[in-house]
């Protein structure tokens, strides 16, 4: 099958002013755009730029600097999530991405909570995710939980495996709560990409693509992306494939590699 394509317009199209990136992405053949943070953005301008370009918004982060695994942050986390839901609905975004730990500048993990046991972290995350699922169902905005690599970009992040994320989503059982499966992160953390995709692909709500090492476009590193795409099809995945990557040379060259894939 041919997957609909989304592109993250923060590392991609960096050569252009932010609001000009929507039209550029559409002209390059993308169906959706996504970005990292909605806070500090003029949401009316974002919505207008997407509408003028004729491109939809896949989503953005919904949790900012707050942590799912900290029971003391539960109410603040849910309050900010509701604000993010309102922002998503305002611009017509279809999903939000959430994480186990709060992330700061450059994706740095703010607090790994060494003082909390795994039991507390896991139970706090599950308890809050139950409410996240209810909020997603009421709003119609999909929420996707993303495991992150802990060796290069997000040292100290608690949620680091496909299995843990997928099993938690499966236990909660909401059609509006999924896993954001980032191939780059999971190659760094666990490898065996096809094995994990085939085992858990039905829990995926969104997929991110970038190569290893460097987080550049497909074909620049070690990942066999034609095989990954084939496994997504075999697993029954029907959602978007998002290209969240840093162009090795230029956006134009990265787009060529994406379209070849």
């Amino acid at each position: 099958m041919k997957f609909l394509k989304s592109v993250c317009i923060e590392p991609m199209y960096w050569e252009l002013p932010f609001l000009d990136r929507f039209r550029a992405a559409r002209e390059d053949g993308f169906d959706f755009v996504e970005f990292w943070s909605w806070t500090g953005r003029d949401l009316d301008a974002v919505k207008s730029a997407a509408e003028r370009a004729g491109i939809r918004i896949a989503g953005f982060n919904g949790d900012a600097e707050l942590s799912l695994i900290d029971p003391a942050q539960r109410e603040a986390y849910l309050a900010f999530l509701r604000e993010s839901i309102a922002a998503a609905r305002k611009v017509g975004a279809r999903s939000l991405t959430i994480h186990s730990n709060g992330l700061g500048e450059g994706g740095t993990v703010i607090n790994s909570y060494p003082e909390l046991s795994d039991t507390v972290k896991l139970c706090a995350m599950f308890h809050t995710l139950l409410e996240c699922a209810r909020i997603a169902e009421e709003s119609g905005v999909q929420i996707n939980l993303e495991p992150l690599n802990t060796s290069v970009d997000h040292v100290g992040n608690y949620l680091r495996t496909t299995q843990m994320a997928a099993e938690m989503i499966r236990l909660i059982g909401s059609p509006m709560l999924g896993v954001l499966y980032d191939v780059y992160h999971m190659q760094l953390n666990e490898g065996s990409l096809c094995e994990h995709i085939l085992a858990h692909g039905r829990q995926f709500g969104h997929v991110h693509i970038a190569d290893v090492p460097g987080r550049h476009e497909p074909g620049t590193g070690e990942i066999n992306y034609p095989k990954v795409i084939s496994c997504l099809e075999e697993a029954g995945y029907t959602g978007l494939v998002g290209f969240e990557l840093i162009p090795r040379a230029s956006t134009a060259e990265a787009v060529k590699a994406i379209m070849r894939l």
Side-chain angles (χ1 to χ4, degrees):
M1 67 173 291
K2 183 178 180 181
F3 293 107
L4 293 176
K5 299 181 293 300
S6 176
V7 60
C8 184
I9 56 173
E10 300 221 47
M12 290 274 283
Y13 299 99
W14 57 269
E15 305 95 334
L16 299 173
F18 183 75
L19 293 177
D20 292 344
R21 300 176 193 183
F22 293 80
R23 182 173 299 280
R26 186 67 186 127
E27 290 175 349
D28 279 340
F30 292 102
D31 306 288
F32 290 80
V33 296
E34 53 193 91
F35 45 93
W36 289 325
S37 176
W38 64 268
T39 58
R41 301 270 183 215
D42 181 337
L43 296 181
D44 289 319
V46 166
K47 181 179 180 181
S48 178
E51 289 175 347
R52 288 196 308 271
I55 197 165
R56 293 185 61 190
I57 298 174
F60 39 76
N61 291 339
D63 51 7
E65 299 178 354
L66 296 163
S67 295
L68 276 173
I69 60 173
D70 181 358
Q73 290 192 0
R74 172 180 161 80
E75 295 308 317
Y77 187 97
L78 293 171
F80 186 81
L81 181 68
R82 291 186 180 96
E83 292 181 26
S84 298
I85 289 282
R89 295 185 70 176
K90 183 176 180 68
V91 301
R94 60 187 280 167
S95 70
L96 294 176
T97 304
I98 61 174
H99 309 89
S100 61
N101 296 65
L103 303 176
E105 188 69 26
T108 302
V109 171
I110 294 171
N111 191 343
S112 62
Y113 298 97
E115 75 279 8
L116 299 180
S117 69
D118 281 348
T119 301
V120 170
K121 293 174 182 177
L122 192 63
C123 290
M125 182 159 58
F126 185 80
H127 187 212
T128 303
L129 281 172
L130 285 171
E131 183 63 15
C132 291
R134 188 186 67 79
I135 292 170
E137 290 169 7
E138 289 178 351
S139 67
V141 176
Q142 173 86 17
I143 294 177
N144 296 312
L145 176 66
E146 183 179 23
L148 301 172
N149 84 76
T150 57
S151 59
V152 177
D153 303 290
H154 309 287
V155 175
N157 196 68
Y158 179 65
L159 183 62
R160 63 179 307 275
T161 68
T162 308
Q163 182 178 359
M164 178 185 284
E167 287 180 345
M168 190 164 295
I169 297 306
R170 193 179 298 122
L171 285 170
I172 292 171
S174 170
M176 297 300 291
L177 192 64
V179 175
L180 196 161
Y181 182 78
D182 188 305
V183 183
Y184 163 79
H185 288 310
M186 294 303 98
Q187 172 69 358
L188 288 170
N189 274 1
E190 61 191 15
S192 302
L193 297 173
C194 289
E195 178 183 344
H196 292 291
I197 290 169
L198 294 175
H200 305 296
R202 291 196 177 276
Q203 274 65 56
F204 295 174
H206 195 73
V207 169
H208 274 168
I209 279 179
D211 219 328
V212 174
R215 204 172 191 171
H216 302 311
E217 56 267 29
T220 60
E222 66 193 23
I223 299 176
N224 182 347
Y225 265 110
K227 182 62 175 177
V228 167
I229 296 297
S230 175
C231 286
L232 287 168
E233 294 174 344
E234 186 178 346
Y237 178 70
T238 58
L240 304 183
V241 171
F243 294 86
E244 186 190 49
L245 55 86
I246 301 165
R248 185 169 63 174
S250 68
T251 295
E253 290 302 310
V255 168
K256 289 178 184 178
I258 288 167
M259 296 307 167
R260 285 195 297 270
L261 177 64

